[in-house]
Amino acid sequence: MDLSSLTIKKLAQGLGEKEFSCEEMIGAYLGNITKNDKTINAFMSVFDKEALAAAGEIDALISRKEKLPALAGVPVAVKDNILVKGKRTTAGSKVLDNYIAPYDATVVEKLKREGAIIIGKTNMDEFAMGASGEHSAYGLTQNPNNPDYAPGGSSSGSAAAVSADMCLCALGSDTAGSVRQPASICGIVGMKPTYGVVSRYGLIAMASSLDQIGPLAKNIEDAKILFDIIKGRDKMDSTSCETGRELEEAPKEIKNLKIGLPEECSGRGIQKEVRDILEGSIKKLAGKGIKIENISLPHVGYGVSCYYIITPAEVSSNLARYDGIRYGMSKSGDELLDVYLNTRGEYLGEEVRRRIMLGTYILSAGYYDAYYLRAQKVRTKIIEDFRAAFKKVDLILTPTLPTLPFKLGERLNDPLAMYLTDLLTVPANLAGLPAISIPAGEAGGLAVGLQFIAPHFQEESLFSAANFFENEIAPRHS
Amino acid sequence: MIGLKQVKHIAELARINFSDKELEGFQKDLSAILEYIDKLKEVDVDGVAPTSHSVNLKNITRLDETKSSGDDLADRLIEAAPRKKGRFVKVKPIF
């Protein structure tokens, strides 16, 4: 069974026309996992028995000619920082090595309700802190297309699993690019919604003012189907909101779109091979009659600095809960304080401890104004840059990464080099904007993605532009 | 470069045990990162309001009601605690 060209719609069609049974199809995905995941290491856990049983139920529905829900039989992999009831959920950390999720995240509940089959939980950088998958406490994930290369991160397992046909699509979380960036590196689609549009109930918090759950898929159509199912206000997440709140008109027709190219994201600092693919795509867009305008986002270059103040500060607060008292691993000590010190010293990984230390320093007496408050003000400047830009253009186009994909180990011992991987993705998180990474080409066998960024709540026009790009500008053979 | 004494103080505030060697490593890493983020001083932020919420969502409130989860959620939450006695989570005494 050829899984590489399967999409959600084709799957539904195949099931409906009895080209294959749901069990056969799930069996084929599980077969790929058995065959390839020992080396790729995309999965933390695989639910083979339950997946096959769920597939059997879908087959029974089909034989009774009952109406199938929207995602009937679709095998979805879920990043291991999103709770799936009754399943171990580690967030890539040893401190949650024994943690069993007591409830379903809202996004998981929605997927299950639509008949999706949760095939497994995916590997990730510990607590989503990292850009390469190498900071997982459970071993690194290989890039399925180039074994010497990192798959990107922190949704490393989700991107690798989709790319290697070990699931049809996946969920990840994106705090600075953690969905878009591994999607770009693994040659697939990854999308981050507007801040608040997808409920985070059941997502293990990293940096609460930035975290969003988003879909990873082979193509735009599948990413949009997933997004439409997981979006929406949730009473269990008071930061969640409806889409379309500020958007009443339908998205503009593609031909009438004006796309902005920020000079800060297309010139110096962008590797030549990436720039070539960007410029090639711009020429093709212009050739299709789409208006391109050069714009400026003067403060966007400060994004990474802002991020590495705001995130560690929020991390140091959010991760205070891992103290060995209520859940997770615990290391005993003489006094209560020793339990905290020992548990956190023993079970938190190096990058996590580095960010907690940095955040604690930034929030400590005397430094708050100089770092945190200043970063939140520069964040305002970045948001104002986008607001001004979106008065002139409908969407913004940039590369997803400033460089080609990098090798495993290449940035591991240089935290700053690792952080700069997020240079072009982090601004959308700081400003809460929806953004999507689309495969745009290859250089020397390495995948390059481009990123569209839209104004708040304009996911519709984001997807329709991305769809146009996929079909007309960078079509892939599948 | 931040001093080793300060790094030790931060580690105490962060409630993490470190070896001396690890502390020295952090001293180096934190100094490099702090130097990088110092770039923010270039930006004129006079009169700029800080952002804490990027989408300007209004406060969402709800009634503060007691609700039962209707299943064994409470039991599972208690079960997750590393040390317990009956339905209580057990901690070391504080004097």
Side-chain angles (χ1 to χ4, degrees), chain A residues 126-351:
Chain A
E126 183 173 358
F127 286 113
M129 296 176 207
S132 68
E134 293 165 293
H135 288 303
S136 167
Y138 299 89
L140 56 83
T141 301
Q142 246 179 21
N143 184 326
N145 308 317
N146 308 78
D148 295 339
Y149 282 77
S154 65
S155 308
S156 45
S158 288
V162 172
S163 175
D165 294 320
M166 299 193 285
C167 59
L168 185 55
C169 44
L171 293 184
S173 65
D174 190 314
T175 306
S178 280
V179 164
R180 289 161 285 158
Q181 182 258 102
S184 171
I185 290 178
C186 289
I188 59 167
V189 171
M191 186 258 183
K192 181 199 92 73
T194 302
Y195 180 78
V197 160
V198 173
S199 165
R200 299 181 296 178
Y201 180 63
L203 169 70
I204 293 176
M206 173 170 73
S208 303
S209 79
L210 305 159
D211 298 340
Q212 262 294 281
I213 293 172
L216 297 102
K218 285 277 186 64
N219 59 34
I220 303 295
E221 185 183 78
D222 285 357
K224 181 169 184 336
I225 292 172
L226 272 195
F227 168 74
D228 282 335
I229 284 167
I230 62 174
K231 72 183 180 184
R233 159 112 183 96
D234 174 18
K235 65 176 176 5
M236 301 304 280
D237 175 3
S238 64
T239 61
S240 67
C241 51
E242 288 301 336
T243 45
R245 197 169 53 103
E246 292 174 5
L247 175 73
E248 274 161 19
E249 76 267 43
K252 269 192 199 173
E253 265 197 58
I254 300 292
K255 300 279 170 211
N256 302 328
L257 277 187
K258 208 190 268 176
I259 293 175
L261 292 174
E263 53 175 303
E264 295 81 3
C265 308
S266 49
R268 264 185 324 123
I270 310 295
Q271 199 174 329
K272 186 179 177 299
E273 290 87 341
V274 177
R275 221 165 48 213
D276 287 347
I277 287 174
L278 176 69
E279 282 162 12
S281 300
I282 293 166
K283 268 204 196 102
K284 285 189 196 166
L285 282 166
K288 299 273 177 190
I290 289 170
K291 288 179 275 310
I292 308 280
E293 189 170 324
N294 290 318
I295 58 166
S296 174
L297 301 167
H299 299 92
V300 84
Y302 296 104
V304 172
S305 295
C306 254
Y307 180 84
Y308 279 97
I309 292 173
I310 293 165
T311 305
E314 295 184 11
V315 159
S316 72
S317 315
N318 271 331
L319 272 64
R321 69 189 70 177
Y322 303 106
D323 56 6
I325 302 295
R326 285 151 302 158
Y327 48 79
M329 300 299 282
S330 182
K331 195 171 183 192
S332 202
D334 294 340
E335 290 178 33
L336 185 61
L337 180 62
D338 297 319
V339 178
Y340 301 156
L341 294 171
N342 295 344
T343 299
R344 294 161 68 76
E346 175 83 14
Y347 296 112
L348 295 176
E350 192 186 0
E351 177 61 18

Side-chain angles (χ1 to χ4, degrees), chain A residues 1-6 25 27-43 75 77 119 122 141-147 151 155-170 182-183 185-189 216-218 476:
Chain A
M1 185 171 185
D2 176 30
L3 300 179
S4 62
S5 63
L6 209 54
M25 179 268 302
Y29 279 104
L30 289 171
N32 271 354
I33 296 177
T34 313
K35 202 167 80 194
N36 301 320
D37 206 43
K38 275 203 184 72
T39 46
I40 296 176
N41 197 28
F43 281 91
I119 198 164
T122 53
T141 301
Q142 246 179 21
N143 184 326
N145 308 317
N146 308 78
S155 308
S156 45
S158 288
V162 172
S163 175
D165 294 320
M166 299 193 285
C167 59
L168 185 55
C169 44
I185 290 178
C186 289
I188 59 167
V189 171
L216 297 102
K218 285 277 186 64
R476 281 162 292 157

Side-chain angles (χ1 to χ4, degrees), chain A residues 85 102 194-195 209 233 238-241 245 299 301-302 304-305 309 324-328 330 333-337 339-342 344-345 350 353-354 356-358 360-361 367 371 373-381 383 416 419-420 430-432 456-457, chain B residues 2 6-8 10-18 22-23 26 29-30 32-34 36-45 48-58 60-62 67 71-73 76-78 80-83 89-94:
Chain A
K85 187 174 171 177
T194 302
Y195 180 78
S209 79
R233 159 112 183 96
S238 64
T239 61
S240 67
C241 51
R245 197 169 53 103
H299 299 92
Y302 296 104
V304 172
S305 295
I309 292 173
I325 302 295
R326 285 151 302 158
Y327 48 79
S330 182
D334 294 340
E335 290 178 33
L336 185 61
L337 180 62
V339 178
Y340 301 156
L341 294 171
N342 295 344
R344 294 161 68 76
E350 192 186 0
R353 292 188 290 171
R354 185 182 288 124
I356 292 176
M357 289 288 283
L358 185 58
T360 307
Y361 174 78
Y367 295 99
Y371 290 111
L373 192 65
R374 176 169 283 267
Q376 294 287 46
K377 288 179 177 176
V378 177
R379 187 176 183 182
T380 305
K381 300 287 271 187
I383 294 172
L416 267 178
Y419 295 174
L420 285 168
L430 290 167
H456 289 142
F457 302 109
Chain B
I2 57 175
Q6 199 171 11
V7 178
K8 277 185 183 160
I10 303 163
E12 267 175 47
L13 292 176
R15 300 283 189 260
I16 303 178
N17 251 353
F18 287 111
E22 284 176 317
L23 285 174
F26 278 118
D29 285 351
L30 294 186
I33 297 165
L34 288 169
Y36 177 78
I37 59 188
D38 244 16
K39 262 177 67 161
L40 289 187
K41 289 195 178 137
E42 298 164 11
V43 185
D44 179 10
V45 290
V48 177
T51 294
S52 57
H53 193 286
S54 56
V55 182
N56 267 330
L57 194 67
K58 292 219 178 70
I60 294 176
T61 55
R62 59 169 173 79
K67 276 187 200 152
D71 56 12
D72 57 349
L73 181 63
R76 285 197 305 273
L77 293 176
I78 294 167
R83 280 171 287 271
V89 175
K90 204 171 151 189
V91 292
K92 294 268 172 191
I94 308 163

